[in-house]
Amino acid sequence: MEGSSLLTTNCSLPNFKSHLSFTFTLHHHPLYSIAISGSSHLIPAPLNSTLSLSSPPRASLRTSSLALDQPPTNHARDMLPKIDKSGRFCSPRAARELALSLVYAACLEGSDPVQLFEKRMNARREPGYEFDKEFLLEYNHMSFGGPPVTVETIEEADELTRNFEKESAIEAEVLAAPPKLVYSKLILRFTRKLLVAVMDRWDTHVLVIDKVAPPNWKNEPAGRILELCILHLAMAEITVLGTRHQIVINEAVDLAKRFCDGAAPRIINGCLRTFVKNIKETDLDRQQQEVVS
């Protein structure tokens, strides 16, 4: 990743904090970092939620199908288990989220995400450390953001703050825990495959992203590291792992909704659709040339 024109690795993650304004509008930045075993890891805090009394409820938990090449229906998603019999995450969504956190942290450090993954996997557990698996049932992979929430009373603001703090604590505990306690073996293998695929196509996809990404993203890459990581992750899964692009694009957009803000989900959707379109056109041209020759 060093020398990439789209990523600046010598940067640090600002210490963003939630704040409650006088008008009781709650702002929550989607990211903050935590140091674990000498490395930084992405911790997604609850985004600008829609939990006010006058707002619709947050998106219900949905997980992707374990059959990675078959997109489930919305109803099927709702019925799929979040954890397996061993009490660990078993949905591909968890693998993509973990892979994104590692690619993002590696970009901030200027390191290799595969090596960072191995480092986390092999890190020794602190003496006396215990992980409450009940947190896995409360963790929500489909917690999406929205506009700032406005409430009318201090009581409502306090209730929202308590909810955010509880969800933040759960997410921090889950994502800071040793991966083997949180993710099934299947998910950990899938995560590593994703990271290897990202590194295998990194240089190639830097050039591709340079063509499809909007100018403001390329002009300020340090401010768009997370969005660019999502693009790298999705493009690598499509080209190397061969996952159907409909699934990958939907997952990438959901990750952008969860961890990014502004127009990022829409832009990522457009970039990936252009990417897939170009792949199909290239394949078609190649087939036509083979027929002619």
CSV table of all heavy atoms in Angstrom, one decimal, residues 43-69:
chain,number,residue,atom,x,y,z
A,43,ILE,N,-13.3,0.6,15.8
A,43,ILE,CA,-14.4,0.3,16.6
A,43,ILE,C,-15.6,1.1,16.1
A,43,ILE,O,-15.6,2.4,16.2
A,43,ILE,CB,-14.2,0.7,18.1
A,43,ILE,CG1,-12.9,0.0,18.6
A,43,ILE,CG2,-15.3,0.4,19.0
A,43,ILE,CD1,-13.0,-1.5,18.7
A,44,PRO,N,-16.7,0.5,15.6
A,44,PRO,CA,-17.8,1.3,15.1
A,44,PRO,C,-18.7,1.7,16.2
A,44,PRO,O,-19.3,0.9,16.9
A,44,PRO,CB,-18.5,0.4,14.1
A,44,PRO,CG,-18.2,-1.0,14.7
A,44,PRO,CD,-16.9,-0.9,15.4
A,45,ALA,N,-18.8,3.0,16.5
A,45,ALA,CA,-19.8,3.5,17.5
A,45,ALA,C,-21.1,3.6,16.8
A,45,ALA,O,-21.2,3.7,15.6
A,45,ALA,CB,-19.3,4.8,18.0
A,46,PRO,N,-22.2,3.5,17.6
A,46,PRO,CA,-23.5,3.7,16.9
A,46,PRO,C,-23.6,5.0,16.2
A,46,PRO,O,-23.2,6.1,16.7
A,46,PRO,CB,-24.5,3.7,18.1
A,46,PRO,CG,-23.7,3.0,19.2
A,46,PRO,CD,-22.3,3.4,19.0
A,47,LEU,N,-24.1,5.0,15.0
A,47,LEU,CA,-24.1,6.2,14.2
A,47,LEU,C,-25.3,7.0,14.6
A,47,LEU,O,-26.1,6.7,15.4
A,47,LEU,CB,-24.2,5.8,12.7
A,47,LEU,CG,-23.1,4.9,12.2
A,47,LEU,CD1,-23.2,4.7,10.7
A,47,LEU,CD2,-21.7,5.5,12.5
A,48,ASN,N,-25.5,8.2,13.8
A,48,ASN,CA,-26.6,9.1,14.1
A,48,ASN,C,-27.9,8.3,14.0
A,48,ASN,O,-28.5,8.2,12.9
A,48,ASN,CB,-26.6,10.2,13.1
A,48,ASN,CG,-25.3,11.0,13.2
A,48,ASN,OD1,-24.7,11.1,14.3
A,48,ASN,ND2,-24.8,11.5,12.1
A,49,SER,N,-28.3,7.7,15.1
A,49,SER,CA,-29.4,6.8,15.1
A,49,SER,C,-30.8,7.5,14.9
A,49,SER,O,-30.9,8.7,15.0
A,49,SER,CB,-29.4,6.0,16.4
A,49,SER,OG,-30.5,5.2,16.4
A,50,THR,N,-31.8,6.7,14.7
A,50,THR,CA,-33.2,7.3,14.6
A,50,THR,C,-34.0,6.8,15.8
A,50,THR,O,-35.0,6.1,15.6
A,50,THR,CB,-33.8,6.9,13.3
A,50,THR,OG1,-33.7,5.4,13.2
A,50,THR,CG2,-33.1,7.5,12.1
A,51,LEU,N,-33.5,7.0,17.0
A,51,LEU,CA,-34.1,6.4,18.2
A,51,LEU,C,-35.0,7.4,18.9
A,51,LEU,O,-35.4,7.1,20.0
A,51,LEU,CB,-33.0,5.9,19.1
A,51,LEU,CG,-32.5,4.5,18.8
A,51,LEU,CD1,-31.4,4.2,19.8
A,51,LEU,CD2,-33.5,3.5,18.9
A,52,SER,N,-35.3,8.6,18.4
A,52,SER,CA,-36.2,9.5,19.1
A,52,SER,C,-37.6,8.9,19.0
A,52,SER,O,-38.0,8.1,18.2
A,52,SER,CB,-36.1,10.9,18.4
A,52,SER,OG,-36.7,10.8,17.2
A,53,LEU,N,-38.4,9.4,20.0
A,53,LEU,CA,-39.8,8.9,20.1
A,53,LEU,C,-40.6,9.1,18.8
A,53,LEU,O,-41.5,8.4,18.5
A,53,LEU,CB,-40.5,9.5,21.3
A,53,LEU,CG,-39.8,9.2,22.6
A,53,LEU,CD1,-40.6,10.0,23.7
A,53,LEU,CD2,-39.8,7.7,22.9
A,54,SER,N,-40.2,10.2,18.1
A,54,SER,CA,-41.0,10.5,16.9
A,54,SER,C,-40.4,9.9,15.6
A,54,SER,O,-40.9,10.2,14.5
A,54,SER,CB,-41.1,12.1,16.7
A,54,SER,OG,-39.7,12.6,16.6
A,55,SER,N,-39.3,9.2,15.8
A,55,SER,CA,-38.6,8.6,14.6
A,55,SER,C,-38.9,7.1,14.4
A,55,SER,O,-39.3,6.5,15.4
A,55,SER,CB,-37.1,8.8,14.7
A,55,SER,OG,-36.8,10.2,14.8
A,56,PRO,N,-38.8,6.6,13.2
A,56,PRO,CA,-39.0,5.2,13.0
A,56,PRO,C,-38.0,4.4,13.7
A,56,PRO,O,-36.9,4.8,14.0
A,56,PRO,CB,-38.9,5.0,11.5
A,56,PRO,CG,-38.1,6.2,11.1
A,56,PRO,CD,-38.4,7.3,12.0
A,57,PRO,N,-38.2,3.1,14.1
A,57,PRO,CA,-37.3,2.3,14.8
A,57,PRO,C,-36.1,2.0,13.9
A,57,PRO,O,-36.2,2.0,12.7
A,57,PRO,CB,-38.0,1.0,15.1
A,57,PRO,CG,-39.1,0.9,14.1
A,57,PRO,CD,-39.5,2.4,13.9
A,58,ARG,N,-34.9,1.6,14.5
A,58,ARG,CA,-33.7,1.3,13.8
A,58,ARG,C,-34.0,0.0,13.0
A,58,ARG,O,-34.8,-0.8,13.3
A,58,ARG,CB,-32.6,1.2,14.7
A,58,ARG,CG,-32.3,2.4,15.5
A,58,ARG,CD,-31.1,2.3,16.4
A,58,ARG,NE,-29.9,2.0,15.7
A,58,ARG,CZ,-28.7,2.0,16.4
A,58,ARG,NH1,-28.7,2.2,17.7
A,58,ARG,NH2,-27.6,1.8,15.7
A,59,ALA,N,-33.1,-0.1,12.0
A,59,ALA,CA,-33.2,-1.3,11.1
A,59,ALA,C,-33.1,-2.6,12.0
A,59,ALA,O,-32.2,-2.6,12.9
A,59,ALA,CB,-32.2,-1.3,10.0
A,60,SER,N,-33.9,-3.6,11.7
A,60,SER,CA,-33.8,-4.8,12.5
A,60,SER,C,-32.6,-5.6,12.0
A,60,SER,O,-32.0,-5.4,11.0
A,60,SER,CB,-35.0,-5.7,12.3
A,60,SER,OG,-35.2,-6.0,10.9
A,61,LEU,N,-32.1,-6.5,12.9
A,61,LEU,CA,-30.9,-7.3,12.6
A,61,LEU,C,-31.2,-8.2,11.4
A,61,LEU,O,-32.2,-8.9,11.3
A,61,LEU,CB,-30.6,-8.1,13.8
A,61,LEU,CG,-29.4,-9.1,13.6
A,61,LEU,CD1,-28.1,-8.3,13.4
A,61,LEU,CD2,-29.3,-10.0,14.8
A,62,ARG,N,-30.3,-8.1,10.5
A,62,ARG,CA,-30.3,-9.0,9.3
A,62,ARG,C,-28.9,-9.5,9.1
A,62,ARG,O,-27.9,-8.7,9.2
A,62,ARG,CB,-30.8,-8.3,8.1
A,62,ARG,CG,-32.2,-7.8,8.2
A,62,ARG,CD,-32.6,-7.0,7.0
A,62,ARG,NE,-31.8,-5.8,6.9
A,62,ARG,CZ,-31.8,-4.9,5.9
A,62,ARG,NH1,-32.7,-5.1,4.9
A,62,ARG,NH2,-31.1,-3.8,6.0
A,63,THR,N,-28.7,-10.7,8.7
A,63,THR,CA,-27.4,-11.2,8.4
A,63,THR,C,-27.4,-11.9,7.0
A,63,THR,O,-28.5,-12.3,6.5
A,63,THR,CB,-27.0,-12.3,9.4
A,63,THR,OG1,-28.0,-13.3,9.4
A,63,THR,CG2,-26.8,-11.7,10.8
A,64,SER,N,-26.3,-11.9,6.4
A,64,SER,CA,-26.2,-12.5,5.0
A,64,SER,C,-26.2,-14.0,5.1
A,64,SER,O,-25.8,-14.6,6.1
A,64,SER,CB,-24.9,-12.0,4.3
A,64,SER,OG,-24.9,-10.6,4.3
A,65,SER,N,-26.5,-14.6,4.0
A,65,SER,CA,-26.5,-16.1,3.9
A,65,SER,C,-25.1,-16.6,4.0
A,65,SER,O,-24.2,-16.1,3.5
A,65,SER,CB,-27.2,-16.5,2.6
A,65,SER,OG,-27.0,-17.9,2.4
A,66,LEU,N,-25.0,-17.8,4.6
A,66,LEU,CA,-23.7,-18.5,4.6
A,66,LEU,C,-23.3,-19.0,3.2
A,66,LEU,O,-22.2,-19.2,2.9
A,66,LEU,CB,-23.8,-19.7,5.6
A,66,LEU,CG,-23.7,-19.3,7.1
A,66,LEU,CD1,-23.9,-20.5,7.9
A,66,LEU,CD2,-22.4,-18.6,7.4
A,67,ALA,N,-24.3,-19.2,2.4
A,67,ALA,CA,-24.0,-19.5,1.0
A,67,ALA,C,-23.7,-18.2,0.3
A,67,ALA,O,-24.6,-17.5,-0.1
A,67,ALA,CB,-25.2,-20.2,0.3
A,68,LEU,N,-22.4,-17.9,0.2
A,68,LEU,CA,-21.9,-16.6,-0.2
A,68,LEU,C,-22.4,-16.3,-1.6
A,68,LEU,O,-22.4,-15.1,-2.0
A,68,LEU,CB,-20.4,-16.6,-0.2
A,68,LEU,CG,-19.9,-16.7,1.3
A,68,LEU,CD1,-18.4,-16.7,1.2
A,68,LEU,CD2,-20.4,-15.7,2.2
A,69,ASP,N,-22.7,-17.2,-2.5
A,69,ASP,CA,-23.1,-16.9,-3.9
A,69,ASP,C,-24.6,-16.9,-4.1
A,69,ASP,O,-25.0,-16.8,-5.2
A,69,ASP,CB,-22.4,-18.0,-4.8
A,69,ASP,CG,-22.9,-19.4,-4.5
A,69,ASP,OD1,-23.5,-19.6,-3.4
A,69,ASP,OD2,-22.7,-20.3,-5.4
